[in-house]
Amino acid sequence: MSALKIVSLIPSATEIVCLLGLKENLVGRSHECDFPASVKQLPVCSEANFPDNLSSAAIDVKVKEILADALSVYTVKRDVVKELAPDVVITQAQCEVCAVSLTEVEEALANYLDRDARIVSLQPNSLDDIFNDIKTVAKALNVPAEGERVVEDLQERVDIIRHKLKFSDSRPTVACIEWLEPMMLSGNWIPELVSIAGGTNILTEAGKHSPYVQWDDIRLQNPEIILIMPCGFSIERTLKEVDIILQLPGFNEMKAVKNNRVYIADGNQYFNRPGPRIVDSIEILAEIINPKQFAFGYEGDGWIRFGV
């Protein structure tokens, strides 16, 4: 068992550490780390520089203002980290809007700790990147064999879905909405997950950042399935703003709406978290896209059908 003291500044890394059997080594977490529930008892080592009750549009404006002023969206609590004296700090360089950035961590720790701490920075853009990040964390925490085992188990779950859909001819078009106002469609690993689950993702490319899109472009594609999964939002939080989409011109004429195939998923707990539960996200997509072939039991918790 590793004796390293770990501070995780991203929820996905916290889940990775726990899955590797090193939950007891965690001494600090980010303000967003909430799974497994027991980690919420740990000292909080970061904070957001804007209120958490803003609308989608207001969040977008605030974040852009902060970044335009060359400031950080999140702040590391240096005094807390110094007191915890970690051996390893895990952060990310994938998105400065999603969690504490590598630069912020480096600046916070430079000449500040009484001991050297190793910074492990994750930068996933694809499913393979996520699996490799698990191995990277395992290696940094001196449990490489456990990392290999964990990834093998996760890949096996993915392979089960691939195999079951190997000869499926039906691949319905899917629009995965990652932000409500302004509208964004999901990029990075999401198009790949949709494909694995038996769908055809529209308008975005695997491995590339999520782009802003015009509603008219989505209308022209007229997807058979619409999945609303805003980054960082629970299902309940999304329901508070879903009217933004319902009021868009031509929404009721979309194939997905007419066929009752509009869904809301928990983006915060699943799709936007590039950790072990990304495989749960594939299983959720499989349930939604191919309900006759898959029933993993996520409905009601991980996703709901939104009747229009």
Side-chain angles (χ1 to χ4, degrees), residues 161-168 196-198 290 293-294:
I161 295 172
R162 288 186 192 273
H163 179 73
K164 201 164 185 180
L165 294 173
K166 188 173 182 179
F167 301 107
S168 176
I196 292 169
N290 290 290
Q293 288 99 322
F294 301 101

Side-chain angles (χ1 to χ4, degrees), residues 277-289:
R277 287 193 294 166
I278 208 66
V279 175
D280 296 37
S281 303
I282 300 173
E283 292 172 344
I284 288 172
L285 284 167
E287 285 186 329
I288 290 172
I289 298 170

Side-chain angles (χ1 to χ4, degrees), residues 4 6-10 13 87-93 100 102 105-106 109 117-123 132-141:
L4 298 173
I6 307 161
V7 165
S8 170
L9 295 176
I10 45 173
D87 299 295
V88 179
V89 177
I90 310 175
T91 185
Q92 57 91 44
V100 177
L102 175 59
V105 175
E106 290 174 337
L109 300 186
R118 179 179 179 184
I119 299 175
V120 177
S121 180
L122 309 180
Q123 192 173 3
N132 286 331
D133 279 347
I134 293 173
K135 295 178 184 179
T136 296
V137 172
K139 190 175 295 184
L141 302 181

